[in-house]
Amino acid sequence: MFDAPKTDTKLVEVRDLKMHFPIYTGVFRRHTGDVKAVDGVSFDIYEGETLGLVGESGCGKSTCGRAVLRLYDITDGSVKIDGTEIGRTPQGALRGKRPTMQMVFQDPQASLNPRMTVQAIIQEPLDEHTSLSKEEKREKVLALMDQVGLNRKFAGRYPHAFSGGQRQRIGIARALALNPKFIVCDEPIAALDVSIQAQVVNLLEDLQQEFGLTYLFISHDLSMVRHIATRVAVMYLGKIVELAPREALYAAPLHPYTKALLSAVPEPDPDLHDTMERTILTGDVPSPSNPPKGCNFCTRCPAVMDICKRQEPEYREVLPGQFVACHHYNDITDADAIRAASEAQ
Amino acid sequence: MPDGAQPVLEVQDLKTVFKVRGGEVHAVNNVSFDLKAGELLGVVGESGSGKSVTMMSLLGLLPSPPADVRGGTVTFEGQDLLQIKPDKLRAVRGGQIGFVFQDPMTSLNPVYNVGMQIMEPLRKHMGLGKRDAVRRATELLELVGIPDAERRLKDYPHQFSGGMRQRVMIAIALACDPKVLIADEPTTALDVTIQAQILELMKDLQERLGMAVIWITHDLGVVAGIADRVLVMYGGQIVEQAPTRELFKNPQHPYTRALLKTVPSVRGAREDRLAIIEGQPPILGAQPSACPFRDRCDVAFDRCAAENPPRFDVGAGHDAACFYDANTGAPRNV
């Protein structure tokens, strides 16, 4: 990205967000536990930037994105978007706020109604939230189709007549219809082929520049996130373990999980592949309904210490703009000591 | 890779067509390749490029209709797999040629325990008795790195995580000491950290067991790390073939070159803008009489629309199906 005109205005402020899903068991459907999908995450998104949210499946990144838009009634925490607190707002009262915050979904097949034409799909937000005339709406839809690179002639067609990449463009046009400020992109390219992924990512970047959009870009694809994001947050088992500006995160990751995650990405260059150091994690991600005591990552961490199994690490800013939750950086504040602690792992 | 090793599997001019409403889809067009003993052959391509259909055709795994394997020969152990009787083919499949499918969730039977599913090929193909089969199944689970193997034989697929399930699939495929293992996107459904575990396991197993492996994937990164040689498929045909290092250093086909540019890296230089390949992959309603990539190609010229290019040898065991010579920057004189 063109490291967009980033401002210092916080558009989204999330504090200690929790989204727990209750588990009911037995004949009496007793509440016996919770799936702690998102368990206390805090981050800000500045106006005009793209915050990448990465992690493996089941880490809670999608739930986090949906909770920020209040597609769920959150368990706890606060979400402030564009200066308004929406964490506790009832769903009905949120409707007026919806136009500023939109979402692009992962699966363009499932998120478009197969019985509606493209025109009707893109127009639906306009029907719900504006009082434009029929003619104005039609014009707006066609303009949106131009903007996302869809041929106007196809406005009367149904989603099945489009390829995966084009369907994702329809989803993007729908999200843009109400001139939002903030868009959550939930794995928008995961279902697409590599040669089509780049087309959609470039489109998202162009739209961001043109309309000054702010994105929360959720993905498991670390290389794509490196391309599109201004800052990157890494999630593991419902918590953010590290959040840093893109360059810092990819060049000098601090958290052992970030390091392992980056080293696991296959490198499309055999020479680099042979020379790089790899950390291969053993085991699987624990269940979010029964996370381990202490640090969530302690069961797989290659640099685990005793304290990690007893006490949860504090999520704090160790270097300017670089947050990490790891006991290896306890009580260290100067940059050199942090680098040494990172290498010592 | 042992140079000049005997091919264990030879495919010549394979053609597969699907009959669909209102016509045909030519999914595989004149695909020829061989697989040498002990080699790991990567097959890359996007969805619809024909990579899976090619491998399924070899083993008669496609339901017919709609699929119709129209021609070609597949030589394995001196016999043509496309001609032999179904019961003989069944003995090859799962016996001498193992198959690992993409999605470990749907390819294991949820109502049988894992032990039964590993023992099935052992009893069918190798005629082992119950006790021997249990012993061998335990060994296999240990081989693929599942702890507490003996107890876990009694577990059902839902009791395993995704990565563990894929290990079980690999154990089943390896059950009868296959000469050839075909793995169809075995890590696509898995997370990167789990994918790294499986890749490591496969490389280790291949070295220890000395089998030949065909690894189908859409991920160039996976191929770079694991394969000895690579086939690149597009529009139902092989557009480029080369040893891995050669392919990444010196890609010849415009599709391969474009593909390498569209994939961002987590380590190399970061581009401000991603290179893109305009347009969509083709759907082939007929046997292609022109280059299937020409509409998306930036060096296409008249001849590309008139003829379908054959694979030109460019040296170093490398060939590319393109009329344009990437080294001289001009059309080939052939």
Side-chain angles (χ1 to χ4, degrees):
Chain A
M1 195 188 57
F2 345 79
D3 293 313
K6 199 186 115 184
T7 58
D8 291 333
T9 328
K10 288 176 184 169
L11 186 71
V12 179
E13 285 175 69
V14 177
R15 288 290 170 273
D16 210 22
L17 178 69
K18 285 187 183 154
M19 185 66 234
H20 296 178
F21 296 99
I23 307 170
Y24 299 104
T25 47
V27 193
F28 301 109
R29 314 310 296 156
R30 277 225 315 265
H31 181 195
T32 50
D34 290 292
V35 175
K36 294 171 184 160
V38 177
D39 198 22
V41 307
S42 305
F43 58 87
D44 298 322
I45 307 178
Y46 294 96
E47 216 167 272
E49 80 163 350
T50 302
L51 179 71
L53 186 58
V54 297
E56 297 179 274
S57 49
C59 72
K61 56 190 190 303
S62 284
T63 307
C64 180
R66 301 173 80 114
V68 167
L69 289 189
R70 283 293 317 279
L71 298 185
Y72 296 123
D73 285 328
I74 61 175
T75 309
D76 199 11
S78 105
V79 179
K80 211 187 252 182
I81 292 184
D82 203 14
T84 325
E85 171 63 45
I86 60 162
R88 291 267 155 247
T89 317
Q91 290 293 349
L94 266 177
R95 281 182 64 85
K97 197 71 192 152
R98 291 270 171 224
T100 39
M101 44 187 203
Q102 290 287 317
M103 183 146 182
V104 176
F105 296 91
Q106 168 166 7
D107 185 350
Q109 174 83 49
S111 57
L112 302 176
N113 187 337
R115 305 183 67 171
M116 286 166 83
T117 61
V118 171
Q119 165 83 37
I121 290 171
I122 303 177
Q123 192 180 307
E124 202 179 12
L126 301 172
D127 292 337
E128 289 291 322
H129 289 281
T130 67
S131 49
L132 299 175
S133 73
K134 223 172 175 181
E135 204 34 56
E136 285 169 327
K137 282 181 195 163
R138 189 170 165 72
E139 265 316 301
K140 174 84 181 160
V141 169
L142 293 178
L144 283 164
M145 288 183 73
D146 290 345
Q147 273 159 355
V148 298
L150 285 167
N151 193 328
R152 292 175 163 233
K153 279 193 302 202
F154 300 153
R157 296 197 183 183
Y158 291 88
H160 73 83
F162 294 86
S163 66
Q166 288 170 320
R167 281 191 208 133
Q168 202 53 288
R169 289 172 195 263
I170 300 172
I172 293 170
R174 174 177 61 185
L176 287 176
L178 296 168
N179 304 319
K181 284 189 171 169
F182 174 53
I183 300 183
V184 174
C185 304
D186 185 6
E187 303 250 17
I189 53 167
L192 307 177
D193 264 319
V194 267
S195 77
I196 310 298
Q197 287 186 350
Q199 295 177 2
V200 172
V201 165
N202 282 356
L203 171 68
L204 286 171
E205 290 182 342
D206 291 343
L207 294 170
Q208 178 169 48
Q209 255 215 339
E210 198 176 336
F211 301 110
L213 298 170
T214 305
Y215 293 140
L216 175 61
F217 190 89
I218 301 169
S219 178
H220 66 272
D221 184 338
L222 288 142
S223 47
M224 225 21 126
V225 166
R226 177 179 182 220
H227 179 77
I228 198 170
T230 329
R231 294 185 307 140
V232 182
V234 182
M235 271 187 91
Y236 185 80
L237 208 61
K239 293 198 160 93
I240 292 181
V241 296
E242 184 162 2
L243 189 156
R246 177 225 309 144
E247 295 305 337
L249 188 103
Y250 284 86
L254 293 180
H255 198 282
Y257 178 63
T258 316
K259 290 180 187 177
L261 198 61
L262 285 173
S263 89
V265 180
E267 179 59 53
D269 176 347
D271 288 338
L272 255 178
H273 187 279
D274 290 352
T275 53
M276 70 197 201
E277 273 180 52
R278 319 205 70 179
T279 319
I280 293 187
L281 292 178
T282 51
D284 289 302
V285 185
S287 160
S289 60
N290 184 20
K293 199 166 171 271
C295 172
N296 272 351
F297 188 52
C298 72
T299 55
R300 298 174 82 196
C301 183
V304 66
M305 303 180 292
D306 279 344
I307 185 174
C308 307
K309 293 175 188 159
R310 283 182 277 114
Q311 198 184 332
E312 198 186 317
E314 186 198 352
Y315 173 74
R316 64 185 192 97
E317 189 169 10
V318 293
L319 290 172
Q322 188 153 12
F323 296 80
V324 65
C326 178
H327 286 302
H328 282 279
Y329 306 100
N330 282 354
D331 313 319
I332 315 180
T333 40
D334 78 296
D336 289 335
I338 290 206
R339 229 160 279 135
S342 168
E343 268 159 31
Q345 283 169 29
Chain B
M1 173 182 72
D3 268 331
Q6 276 296 317
V8 283
L9 183 73
E10 268 186 283
V11 178
Q12 277 294 330
D13 292 326
L14 187 73
K15 279 193 197 91
T16 304
V17 175
F18 287 93
K19 295 204 176 79
V20 292
R21 211 169 28 163
E24 292 180 334
V25 173
H26 288 248
V28 177
N29 293 303
N30 294 335
V31 164
S32 303
F33 67 93
D34 56 9
L35 176 70
K36 297 183 183 73
E39 153 181 70
L40 202 153
L41 178 68
V43 181
V44 278
E46 296 176 79
S47 45
S49 64
K51 52 195 194 309
S52 295
V53 176
T54 301
M55 300 311 155
M56 308 266 275
S57 305
L58 304 185
L59 296 179
L61 285 172
L62 294 169
S64 173
D68 179 13
V69 181
R70 281 238 174 119
T73 56
V74 178
T75 316
F76 175 74
E77 305 256 283
Q79 45 189 356
D80 183 353
L81 296 185
L82 299 181
Q83 302 300 331
I84 61 174
K85 295 215 172 69
D87 57 329
K88 277 203 161 159
L89 184 59
R90 209 170 294 135
V92 171
R93 236 177 6 217
Q96 291 152 295
I97 302 184
F99 212 109
V100 180
F101 295 92
Q102 170 167 355
D103 187 352
M105 190 69 217
T106 52
S107 39
L108 287 170
N109 190 332
V111 300
Y112 290 107
N113 65 37
V114 158
M116 297 266 287
Q117 300 186 57
I118 302 176
M119 286 189 284
E120 190 185 341
L122 293 171
R123 304 190 70 171
K124 284 239 165 76
H125 292 300
M126 295 172 86
L128 294 187
K130 178 120 200 248
R131 190 166 306 169
D132 290 337
V134 171
R135 191 179 311 132
R136 173 82 180 134
T138 315
E139 278 171 25
L140 284 164
L141 278 195
E142 278 165 2
L143 184 70
V144 296
I146 295 182
D148 201 6
E150 203 169 344
R151 193 179 56 79
R152 299 229 68 184
L153 283 178
K154 298 193 188 72
D155 284 351
Y156 289 84
H158 73 267
Q159 290 164 295
F160 290 82
S161 66
M164 284 294 167
R165 265 184 229 136
Q166 199 55 288
R167 286 172 193 258
V168 172
M169 286 299 297
I170 293 170
I172 296 173
L174 295 177
C176 304
D177 284 326
K179 289 203 168 63
V180 174
L181 181 74
I182 301 177
D184 186 0
E185 306 239 14
T187 58
T188 303
L190 307 175
D191 281 314
V192 276
T193 59
I194 308 297
Q195 166 171 287
Q197 292 173 2
I198 298 285
L199 290 178
E200 196 75 4
L201 170 73
M202 281 304 300
K203 260 201 307 211
D204 176 53
L205 287 176
Q206 193 219 358
E207 273 164 30
R208 271 162 54 190
L209 308 175
M211 52 184 177
V213 178
I214 298 178
W215 190 286
I216 304 174
T217 178
H218 66 271
D219 189 333
L220 288 162
V222 168
V223 165
I226 192 169
D228 299 309
R229 193 158 62 93
V230 185
L231 305 177
V232 182
M233 288 193 72
Y234 185 84
Q237 54 199 59
I238 295 174
V239 295
E240 186 157 8
Q241 181 277 130
T244 309
R245 211 163 274 275
E246 164 74 10
L247 183 88
F248 282 87
K249 278 229 176 74
N250 186 20
Q252 293 286 315
H253 198 281
Y255 175 64
T256 317
R257 283 185 289 150
L259 205 56
L260 283 168
K261 268 190 233 146
T262 61
V263 185
S265 155
V266 294
R267 297 172 194 89
R270 184 180 162 278
E271 306 291 330
D272 266 349
R273 191 143 177 93
L274 289 178
I276 59 170
I277 310 177
E278 292 287 356
Q280 302 287 332
I283 294 165
L284 301 163
Q287 173 95 8
S289 58
C291 175
F293 188 60
R294 68 182 187 286
D295 293 336
R296 305 174 79 188
C297 181
D298 52 5
V299 293
F301 57 105
D302 312 346
R303 196 177 174 189
C304 308
E307 289 173 66
N308 193 355
R311 284 157 66 186
F312 296 100
D313 190 350
V314 295
H318 188 165
D319 61 61
C322 183
F323 288 125
Y324 181 86
D325 187 337
N327 291 332
T328 61
R332 286 178 210 281
N333 296 318
V334 276

